[in-house]
Amino acid sequence: MPDVDTTPEVDLDAIDSTEAAGDAAKRLREALRYHNYRYYVLDDPVVSDAEYDRLFRQLQTLEEDYPEIRTPDSPTHQVGSVVRDELGTVTHPAPMLSLKAVYEAADVYNFDETCREELGRDTVTYTAEPKFDGLAVELIYEDGRLVQAATRGDGETGEEITANVKTIKGVPLRLRDDERPVPDRLVVRGEAYMRKDEFNAFNRRREEDGKKVFANPRNAAAGSLRQLDSNITARRPLRIFFYEIAPVDGRDFATHAEVLNALPEWGLRVCEDHIRRCDDIDEALAHYDDVVAVRDDLPYEIDGLVIKVNDFSGHETLGVRDRDPRWAVAYKFPPRRATTTIEDLFVQVGRTGRITPVAVLAPVEVGGVEVTRASLHNQNEIDRKDIRIGDTALIERAGDVIPQVVKVMEDERDGSETLYHIPDTCPVCGAEVVLSDDKKQAFCTGGMTCPAQFRERLKHYASRTATDIEGLGDKRAEQLIDAGLIEDISDLYTIEKADLLALERYADKSAQNLLDEIAASLEQDLDRFIYALGIPLVGSATARLLAQHFASLDALMAADETALTEIDDIGPEVAHSIVAFFEDDDNRRVIDDIRAAGLTLTNPYAADEAPLEGLTFVFTGSLDDWTRGEVQRFVEQHGANATSSVSGNTDYVVAGPGAGSKRDEAEARAIPVLDEDAFHAVLRERGVEV
Ligand code: IVH
């Protein structure tokens, strides 16, 4: 067992001094670090999520009440921080190399032969480990603390992504030192990735919000890590497998296998299940076969096996050629590709009305699976790859992801191939299809009356962040549609108890509960109702923005594209989508019917008075009495704007401890910088109670 108290009993009410708070925080941090290690590194938690949350909240409360005990490496800091203008660059302490890729066993034997000859040995021992399909990252720890993280970049210099990497829950901000002493400086490297299941769930959420989905987990991981706002990274399901210590002074190991043993002792996770130490190259090749066999069942994407000479003296002798070490090779898996004919193209209508073109293929086997469809993502891709009906195409299947068209064989055309364009009207309901200027997004504007969209829209309408009809989960929503009780959202409000009692799984009480909840959903906040409508490209943040700018639903429905684009953060595509939605007769009718049922909207952003009207605030650093979200919502509700960057329009920058470049920017522009007390004084001056 560890030398830490894994469930410290802290009585917050009994803490009355900084010293006592500091002491309790230390015990909580130790416990939380240990639980992070059990959960993320060993995959073997010893406490429930609820217990973990309890400890985490206690620490948060202490750090809020006693700001002087905060430490930069506290587990509570693994959340986002301020937005930056651009990612800086850093020079790697040693170049980050690439790997020579081979596709045949014969090439692996050649690699082994070279190693044996140059090292003058009969056999060479190797480690064989998965080649993860993510994004290479380098982390530097000094005195056990994470001080820098960077992408690979061009191998010499990479982008500085420290704030983003710090938000990844499995990355220790401080190394464990109870099993192995921590060196003064440790430069470790690994692969950041998303698990397939977490990627799929993440993409589903994006789709629900009408946002662009990522093509594969690698793109999603790379996009998430290169964010300027680490608050965004913090919400992405990222993980890291560590796979090496950079060859810099202080790497105190003789072999790569020793490194792989040491990393988890410091809390740095390695892929233990599929790494093998091999006595010769045949063992490495046997491991390759084993890994190929389980590849599709692994929770993460891999695209080959990396075979590395085990001893570091061998690395020195073999050296580097171009950018590739001569002591390692990537034995890639066979590409899951095949050629076939594109027999037809059609479009699918997704839950937010997103229109996706799909290719119908002459059935073909790709990596053991019969494939008959390929996703084409959007019109832009069709045009760019010049994909035509009748073309012979190269298809690739990667993991769980829907097969893709890599390219078409233009040489094989006979002139009978035909061009394809996404239709102007929805093939299911006939409503107008809007296509973005870059042709990367297309939506059906049929809204709630398009049957293809309706099922998912009803679930969305009832979901927790929308109108929150708790009893209307996925199953029950589908049951109501299948029973013919609901054909559009407004029908929800005409359901009678007898209708429900005629269905399976309803008794008097459950039927009444659902009816009560449906009735209660008519008393609604304007922003939630706008979100609930499921307007393409309007997620909950945009819905809030709209409620801040339009006093009522009528005002929003009357707005034209010019009025909408005047709002910061609303671009022409979103504006067009909103206008098209409200121009649709069916959508208007559904809204009228919900109104007739008794809809009462209140706008939480339209304060009766707007005492802060005309002021623009920027908040930076941490405040004692408010979280960032709370303070922004508060000033907005009183009529002010809260923006994330300092500009000529900014009236005040409110800076708490930890404020960074925004304070400097304000000073450079001679914009008043307020501490929390001065901010409260400004509020009181304007008659706002705090
Ligand atoms: S070792 C020579 N080990 O492959 C050192 N790399 O083509 C190269 N990669 O940028 C790093 N899994 O992102 C190593 N188990 C693994 C790896 C791995 C994936 C990636 C890494 C690197 C690229 C090189």
Side-chain angles (χ1 to χ4, degrees):
M1 274 306 278
D3 201 14
V4 288
D5 179 359
T6 58
T7 46
E9 289 294 330
V10 171
D11 179 1
L12 292 181
D13 293 335
I15 289 177
D16 56 2
S17 68
T18 304
E19 203 187 337
D23 203 47
K26 184 160 171 275
R27 287 161 55 215
L28 289 166
R29 285 184 197 125
E30 277 172 6
L32 287 164
R33 281 191 193 109
Y34 180 72
H35 295 313
N36 281 343
Y37 168 71
R38 296 292 312 197
Y39 186 90
Y40 291 105
V41 180
L42 303 185
D43 223 355
D44 182 22
V46 288
V47 288
S48 66
D49 288 358
E51 176 64 9
Y52 179 93
D53 288 344
R54 190 182 67 82
L55 298 173
F56 193 90
R57 276 198 305 274
Q58 282 197 324
L59 178 58
Q60 261 180 333
T61 308
L62 278 176
E63 289 178 346
E64 272 163 24
D65 292 350
Y66 296 88
E68 62 278 21
I69 64 166
R70 292 180 191 167
T71 60
D73 59 359
S74 174
T76 53
H77 280 234
Q78 289 191 305
V79 292
S81 59
V82 294
V83 184
R84 293 177 290 170
D85 294 338
E86 59 180 36
L87 298 173
T89 52
V90 291
T91 304
H92 298 301
M96 285 181 80
L97 302 173
S98 50
L99 287 167
K100 182 176 153 100
V102 302
Y103 292 88
E104 310 281 340
D107 294 321
V108 178
Y109 281 120
N110 285 341
F111 160 74
D112 174 55
E113 196 178 316
T114 313
C115 292
R116 281 187 289 111
E117 273 173 13
E118 298 212 11
L119 298 177
R121 305 182 198 161
D122 289 340
T123 53
V124 175
T125 58
Y126 298 100
T127 61
E129 57 197 81
K131 184 169 191 309
F132 310 107
D133 199 6
L135 180 80
V137 288
E138 176 180 80
L139 276 64
I140 303 184
Y141 285 89
E142 281 173 3
D143 296 323
R145 278 159 218 274
L146 178 61
V147 294
Q148 183 181 298
T151 63
R152 176 171 181 274
D154 63 7
E156 300 291 333
T157 58
E159 283 172 317
E160 196 261 321
I161 50 165
T162 318
N164 294 351
V165 167
K166 280 187 172 172
T167 69
I168 303 178
K169 297 285 186 298
V171 169
L173 301 184
R174 199 160 123 177
L175 297 175
R176 297 168 56 78
D177 60 3
D178 46 352
E179 286 175 84
R180 178 183 289 271
V182 162
D184 297 346
R185 188 159 195 261
L186 183 72
V187 183
V188 283
R189 288 156 180 183
E191 196 86 350
Y193 69 96
M194 268 189 204
R195 280 170 59 116
K196 295 179 203 168
D197 55 348
E198 293 176 340
F199 163 76
N200 287 332
F202 163 68
N203 247 358
R204 265 200 303 280
R205 284 198 304 275
R206 286 183 70 85
E207 194 182 4
E208 272 167 18
D209 286 349
K211 292 188 184 149
K212 182 176 116 357
V213 294
F214 286 95
N216 54 49
R218 188 194 47 239
N219 289 0
S224 302
L225 269 180
R226 300 188 62 259
Q227 291 289 332
L228 294 171
D229 179 354
S230 57
N231 293 294
I232 298 179
T233 314
R235 294 195 293 268
R236 304 277 172 92
L238 289 166
R239 293 167 184 258
I240 299 188
F241 276 130
F242 290 92
Y243 54 61
E244 70 171 2
I245 298 182
V248 291
D249 284 351
R251 181 171 73 172
D252 218 359
F253 294 92
T255 68
H256 182 58
E258 284 171 24
V259 167
L260 294 174
N261 285 335
L263 291 173
E265 293 178 353
W266 286 318
L268 300 164
R269 179 159 164 262
V270 304
C271 173
E272 271 155 350
D273 289 345
H274 300 284
I275 295 181
R276 190 184 294 176
R277 193 181 156 284
C278 306
D279 282 334
D280 59 25
I281 201 68
D282 284 321
E283 268 188 34
L285 288 169
H287 187 48
Y288 176 87
D289 291 339
D290 292 345
V291 175
V292 171
V294 298
R295 171 188 187 187
D296 280 340
D297 303 327
L298 294 180
Y300 40 84
E301 296 274 5
I302 62 175
D303 60 356
L305 198 72
V306 186
I307 303 174
K308 302 174 185 173
V309 170
N310 189 28
D311 60 290
F312 290 145
S313 63
H315 292 200
E316 272 177 30
T317 312
L318 286 156
V320 174
R321 174 180 298 151
D322 298 330
R323 309 243 96 231
D324 304 333
R326 295 177 69 241
W327 43 263
V329 72
Y331 185 10
K332 300 288 285 278
F333 295 143
R336 292 187 281 201
R337 290 182 167 189
T339 48
T340 186
T341 317
I342 297 182
E343 295 184 331
D344 200 4
L345 295 174
F346 71 99
V347 289
Q348 262 175 356
V349 189
R351 64 182 86 179
T352 57
R354 180 182 286 273
I355 301 242
T356 319
V358 178
V360 180
L361 308 172
V364 62
E365 207 186 277
V366 189
V369 173
E370 190 187 73
V371 170
T372 55
R373 296 270 190 278
S375 165
L376 295 175
H377 301 297
N378 54 52
Q379 184 71 42
N380 177 291
E381 188 187 2
I382 298 181
D383 297 349
R384 196 164 35 85
K385 295 184 177 166
D386 191 18
I387 297 169
R388 304 182 187 184
I389 299 171
D391 267 336
T392 303
L394 181 66
I395 310 297
E396 181 170 55
R397 193 171 67 81
D400 296 351
V401 186
I402 317 158
Q404 321 276 317
V405 172
V406 181
K407 61 172 182 175
V408 295
M409 315 297 185
E410 293 183 12
D411 297 351
E412 297 192 20
R413 286 187 178 151
D414 63 11
S416 66
E417 297 75 16
T418 49
L419 292 169
Y420 181 78
H421 202 277
I422 288 180
D424 297 334
T425 54
C426 170
V428 182
C429 74
E432 187 203 348
V433 167
V434 287
L435 186 63
S436 64
D437 291 342
D438 61 7
K439 297 195 181 175
K440 287 187 177 168
Q441 305 198 49
F443 286 97
C444 159
T445 52
M448 285 179 283
T449 59
C450 176
Q453 298 180 42
F454 180 55
R455 200 167 280 261
E456 296 303 327
R457 282 182 175 271
L458 177 61
K459 296 178 194 168
H460 171 83
Y461 182 83
S463 67
R464 196 174 327 151
T465 21
T467 60
D468 195 17
I469 307 176
E470 205 186 331
L472 200 63
D474 290 2
K475 285 231 169 61
R476 287 200 158 165
E478 288 186 9
Q479 188 187 21
L480 296 184
I481 296 174
D482 293 344
L485 288 176
I486 307 189
E487 282 172 6
D488 66 44
I489 300 278
S490 58
D491 293 342
L492 262 182
Y493 300 102
T494 61
I495 298 178
E496 296 188 356
K497 198 190 240 176
D499 298 332
L500 295 176
L501 290 175
L503 302 178
E504 259 180 53
R505 296 199 306 268
Y506 278 99
D508 193 73
K509 186 155 183 278
S510 52
Q512 191 56 49
N513 283 348
L514 179 58
L515 291 178
D516 291 347
E517 281 174 18
I518 291 176
S521 73
L522 289 167
E523 301 273 321
Q524 210 43 258
D525 283 351
L526 177 62
D527 54 332
R528 280 173 168 261
F529 188 73
I530 297 171
Y531 173 68
L533 289 173
I535 306 168
L537 301 177
V538 178
S540 49
T542 306
R544 246 184 25 224
L545 210 59
L546 292 169
Q548 283 157 20
H549 285 84
F550 295 95
S552 65
L553 185 61
D554 284 317
L556 172 63
M557 289 173 72
D560 60 12
E561 290 182 34
T562 322
L564 287 162
T565 44
E566 271 168 14
I567 303 174
D568 272 353
D569 292 340
I570 297 213
E573 285 169 23
V574 178
H576 182 74
S577 170
I578 295 168
V579 170
F581 184 90
F582 288 123
E583 271 175 359
D584 184 279
D585 287 342
D586 288 318
N587 289 341
R588 295 183 85 97
R589 184 184 52 72
V590 170
I591 293 169
D592 283 347
D593 288 350
I594 302 177
R595 282 179 154 161
L599 179 69
T600 320
L601 294 175
T602 20
N603 187 347
Y605 296 95
D608 293 341
E609 299 164 81
L612 302 180
E613 196 171 319
L615 292 183
T616 298
F617 289 89
V618 172
F619 296 93
T620 174
S622 51
L623 301 178
D624 287 343
D625 290 346
W626 316 78
T627 66
R628 180 73 55 84
E630 277 166 5
V631 74
Q632 286 179 343
R633 201 173 152 106
F634 183 85
V635 297
E636 283 169 355
Q637 282 176 351
H638 289 85
N641 282 326
T643 59
S644 56
S645 54
V646 179
S647 74
N649 294 330
T650 310
D651 295 293
Y652 295 108
V653 172
V654 181
S661 58
K662 288 182 200 170
R663 187 216 307 260
D664 304 341
E665 175 75 27
E667 280 164 3
R669 288 172 179 264
I671 295 169
V673 178
L674 310 177
D675 64 13
E676 197 164 343
D677 287 342
F679 166 60
H680 290 173
V682 167
L683 295 181
R684 279 192 294 269
E685 249 170 46
R686 297 222 169 203
V688 178
E689 291 288 325
V690 269

